[in-house]
Amino acid sequence: MRGRDALRELLGVGAAKETATPPAPHKVSGAVKAMNLGLQRLSEDAAAAKALRETLAAGEQVVELDPALVDSSFIKDRLPLEDDPAFLQLKDSIAVHGQQVPILARPHPSDPGRFQVAFGHRRLTAARELGTKIRAVVKALSDADLVIAQGQENSQRSDLSFIERAMFAARLDRLNFSRETICASLGVDMPEASRLLFVANAVDETIVEAIGPAPKAGRPRWLALAQRFADGSWREKIARVVVSDEFRRADSNGRFNLVFAAAQEPVGAEAQQRQSIISADGRQLGWLERTKKGARLVSEDAAFADFLLEKLDSLRREFETQASE
């Protein structure tokens, strides 16, 4: 069953009536047609998720539950983050204004009298910490219904990072959910699902959990890092970075930057001649390459290189002054 259909069934919404489509003025290529169908499917999936949120916001069939009786979903959708400011803000808002949007839960499939969350985990955690009841819409959901509802809600949140989406896809894959269900739950097409799974399967999960959500990293750099892991040569180097004091002091984005920088460095004998230059917040500033004739500074940031060029004369004078003292 496609994601939007599962959500419509979950909501009790009937299928939309078909409308006549005027004939195309010219023949559309297969690639363009596939792209149009993919965009249409993503739009319909997003509409189904929006309908679900509106149903919850309307307060239909909302009950109050004891948070102690509500368990998490059987699949995680977030990476842990210490002192998450978004969670603290949500908790403060609930404390002041109450819980505005109910969570979605189902009767627990194997523990009578208990419930299991489809989405709303942070609201549930906030309710537990505040000692209040949790407002919920309770519906009978299959496992597939639950992960589609959970994933579709996640796909509408801007704060869920690329790697969190990738790990969610990989967990669904390990639980033998179909690729169609994975696509429906995340609101993506098959190629994007393949990219998510490639990254999640290539990068060691222990490294991902150590880095955290890294919301500023983005797909291109995670894909590049996954390529390095797939090669295998950088695993030991990256493992050393993860246990360093600098890594422990950095935030999630800084941790990713440190790992990414280590994965760009050469290995073996060449590594002894090339040294990464890393900023205090973990950004790769460039490399110092040592040769028999001396050394040269390499930077991919043209503006930073221009800045250094302007400062070279004053830096040289500062160096000579210190050397003469």
Side-chain angles (χ1 to χ4, degrees):
M1 180 181 296
R2 301 175 72 178
R4 60 178 180 275
D5 297 329
L7 280 173
R8 286 182 179 131
E9 183 175 309
L10 171 65
L11 292 168
V13 178
K17 293 182 179 180
E18 295 185 359
T19 57
T21 303
H26 57 83
K27 185 176 181 180
V28 180
S29 70
V32 173
K33 183 182 295 183
M35 181 180 69
N36 289 337
L37 289 174
L39 291 173
Q40 179 184 359
R41 181 182 61 77
L42 294 180
S43 176
E44 291 173 349
D45 287 346
K50 180 180 179 181
L52 177 57
R53 291 197 307 277
E54 289 174 349
T55 296
L56 297 181
E60 296 180 11
Q61 302 177 8
V62 175
V63 298
E64 289 192 343
L65 303 174
D66 181 349
L69 297 177
V70 186
D71 296 326
S72 299
S73 169
F74 60 86
I75 184 167
K76 293 194 302 181
D77 57 19
R78 283 189 175 273
L79 291 168
L81 183 65
E82 295 179 4
D83 300 326
D84 182 357
F87 170 73
L88 296 176
Q89 184 178 11
L90 172 66
K91 181 180 173 182
D92 289 342
S93 175
I94 292 176
V96 175
H97 304 290
Q99 180 190 347
Q100 300 299 310
V101 180
I103 67 171
L104 177 63
R106 68 174 179 176
H108 201 289
S110 60
D111 196 346
R114 298 189 65 82
F115 303 88
Q116 191 173 57
V117 177
F119 59 76
H121 288 83
R122 293 197 295 179
R123 277 165 276 169
L124 176 61
T125 301
R128 286 172 178 161
E129 294 184 3
L130 292 170
T132 62
K133 297 283 188 180
I134 185 73
R135 299 177 65 241
V137 171
V138 178
K139 289 183 176 290
L141 306 174
S142 68
D143 286 351
D145 288 335
L146 185 144
V147 299
I148 289 173
Q150 182 178 353
Q152 283 281 357
E153 174 69 8
N154 289 343
S155 70
Q156 303 304 310
R157 296 207 308 255
S158 61
D159 61 338
L160 202 66
S161 68
F162 174 83
I163 193 59
E164 287 178 308
R165 292 163 60 81
M167 298 304 293
F168 184 71
R171 290 171 184 135
L172 291 176
D173 188 54
R174 287 196 290 269
L175 291 171
N176 296 319
F177 284 97
S178 69
R179 192 61 62 90
E180 288 77 13
T181 298
I182 294 173
C183 289
S185 68
L186 289 167
V188 299
D189 55 19
M190 287 288 185
E192 179 65 6
S194 296
R195 285 187 284 267
L196 291 166
L197 290 170
F198 168 70
V199 170
N201 292 327
V203 182
D204 291 351
E205 188 168 353
T206 54
I207 301 296
V208 171
E209 291 180 347
I211 292 172
K216 295 182 180 179
R219 181 177 72 183
R221 292 205 294 164
W222 273 110
L223 283 168
L225 183 61
Q227 291 284 0
R228 295 296 200 188
F229 267 92
D231 177 272
S233 303
W234 283 263
R235 289 177 183 270
E236 184 177 347
K237 179 185 287 290
I238 290 172
R240 289 197 298 268
V241 170
V242 170
V243 298
S244 68
D245 290 338
E246 186 177 12
F247 184 89
R248 284 192 288 268
R249 289 193 300 267
D251 63 11
S252 183
N253 290 309
R255 290 178 176 184
F256 175 87
N257 289 334
L258 288 168
V259 169
F260 187 77
Q264 309 311 307
E265 294 178 352
V267 295
E270 185 185 356
Q272 299 175 6
Q273 301 174 356
R274 188 175 180 185
Q275 177 183 354
S276 286
I277 302 173
I278 307 297
S279 68
D281 61 358
R283 287 181 297 137
Q284 174 85 42
L285 298 180
W287 298 271
L288 181 65
E289 296 184 351
R290 302 180 187 276
T291 67
K292 293 180 180 180
K293 296 181 179 181
R296 64 176 180 173
L297 182 62
V298 180
S299 175
E300 294 180 351
D301 187 336
F304 180 57
D306 291 340
F307 175 80
L308 284 178
L309 187 61
E310 293 179 0
K311 297 290 184 180
L312 277 180
D313 186 54
S314 62
L315 288 172
R316 178 67 185 183
R317 290 197 300 270
E318 181 180 346
F319 167 75
E320 291 174 345
T321 300
Q322 291 182 0
S324 63
E325 292 177 352

